[in-house]
């Protein structure tokens, strides 16, 4: 009887915690899983995922999420942002799923007593992964555009110079060409 009473008391006092998680599938551009140059520099796929994870779980990003969703309000007023960010970071679980040495997915999980808030926070963190990756992948594209624009302007300048030379040749040799055409016609 005492055990049932203690068990009932624990169930009644225990706060429910809901875990929300998101799985991000990774499609590597060349499928090799090897080191290659991109907006991330020359890093392997594992190092790239770690770089994105560090940026998403940075102090600045986590502080934005805490402020946006009003997480840990009592803790934040008592202990300050540093302690609150550490607690928040510890409540986030990031795992990678590998197959044959290649990372195929990243799983992000967060637990909170409010299931809707847990879902919103995990959606925000997953969106951070997607945005960070998109920004990194856009950097090489911008560099390529700049390089091609420079080459295009050089080609345009070269064509313009050749057209001027051709025009000068025509003006210089127009009299000789006209005399040749007239003598051939007579």
């Amino acid at each position: 009887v005492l055990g049932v009473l203690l068990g009932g008391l624990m169930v009644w006092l225990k706060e429910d915690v809901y875990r929300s998680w998101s799985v991000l599938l990774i499609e590597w551009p060349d499928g090799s899983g090897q080191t290659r140059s991109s907006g991330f520099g020359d890093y392997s796929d594992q190092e790239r995922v770690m770089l994105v994870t560090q940026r998403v779980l940075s102090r600045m990003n986590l502080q934005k999420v805490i402020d946006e969703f009003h997480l840990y309000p009592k803790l934040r007023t008592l202990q300050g942002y540093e302690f609150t960010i550490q607690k928040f970071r510890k409540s986030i679980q990031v795992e990678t799923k590998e197959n044959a040495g290649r990372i195929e997915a990243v799983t992000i999980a967060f637990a909170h007593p409010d299931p809707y808030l847990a879902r919103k926070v995990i959606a925000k963190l997953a969106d951070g992964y997607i945005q960070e990756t998109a920004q990194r992948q856009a950097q090489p594209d911008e560099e390529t555009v700049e390089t091609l624009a420079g080459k295009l302007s050089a080609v345009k300048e070269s064509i313009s110079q050749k057209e001027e030379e051709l025009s000068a040749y025509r003006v210089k040799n127009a009299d000789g060409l006209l005399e040749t055409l007239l003598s051939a016609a007579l």
Side-chain angles (χ1 to χ4, degrees):
V1 173
L2 183 61
V4 170
L5 287 174
L6 286 174
L9 182 63
M10 286 179 63
V11 168
W12 184 62
L13 293 176
K14 183 179 178 266
E15 184 177 15
D16 291 334
V17 177
Y18 298 92
R19 179 170 304 281
S20 181
W21 52 277
S22 180
V23 177
L24 302 171
L25 299 177
I26 300 173
E27 294 180 7
W28 300 107
D30 65 1
S32 69
Q34 302 299 319
T35 301
R36 60 191 168 273
S37 182
S38 74
F40 292 97
D42 291 331
Y43 295 109
S44 69
D45 295 341
Q46 288 83 5
E47 291 169 328
R48 290 175 190 203
V49 170
M50 291 307 298
L51 283 172
V52 172
T53 300
Q54 288 173 357
R55 288 187 179 267
V56 171
L57 298 181
S58 69
R59 182 190 188 287
M60 185 177 69
N61 285 339
L62 293 182
Q63 184 173 344
K64 287 178 186 177
V65 174
I66 289 170
D67 290 341
E68 182 177 342
F69 297 110
H70 309 291
L71 297 173
Y72 312 111
K74 293 178 185 176
L75 184 63
R76 193 173 51 210
T77 56
L78 294 175
Q79 299 286 332
Y81 269 111
E82 286 301 320
F83 188 76
T84 306
I85 289 170
Q86 288 175 4
K87 179 176 171 96
F88 183 39
R89 189 176 285 136
K90 288 178 184 176
S91 68
I92 299 169
Q93 294 177 346
V94 178
E95 296 177 4
T96 57
K97 306 290 182 194
E98 292 187 25
N99 185 16
R102 285 187 44 227
I103 296 177
E104 292 186 342
V106 176
T107 304
I108 312 163
F110 174 69
H112 194 270
D114 181 0
Y116 299 108
L117 187 60
R119 184 184 67 199
K120 288 178 183 178
V121 168
I122 207 64
K124 183 72 171 180
L125 292 173
D127 187 50
Y129 267 87
I130 293 167
Q131 287 179 357
E132 183 67 31
T133 304
Q135 286 175 349
R136 289 301 199 166
Q137 289 176 346
Q139 285 178 350
D141 294 340
E142 291 170 5
E143 293 170 4
T144 303
V145 167
E146 290 173 8
T147 303
L148 291 176
K151 289 181 180 180
L152 179 63
S153 66
V155 168
K156 283 182 180 179
E157 186 177 318
S158 174
I159 289 173
S160 176
Q161 187 179 25
K162 296 292 182 186
E163 285 177 347
E164 288 175 8
E165 290 174 5
L166 181 61
S167 177
Y169 178 79
R170 284 182 184 160
V171 168
K172 179 181 172 186
N173 296 319
D175 293 335
L177 182 61
L178 186 57
E179 287 176 9
T180 307
L181 288 175
L182 286 175
S183 63
L186 293 175

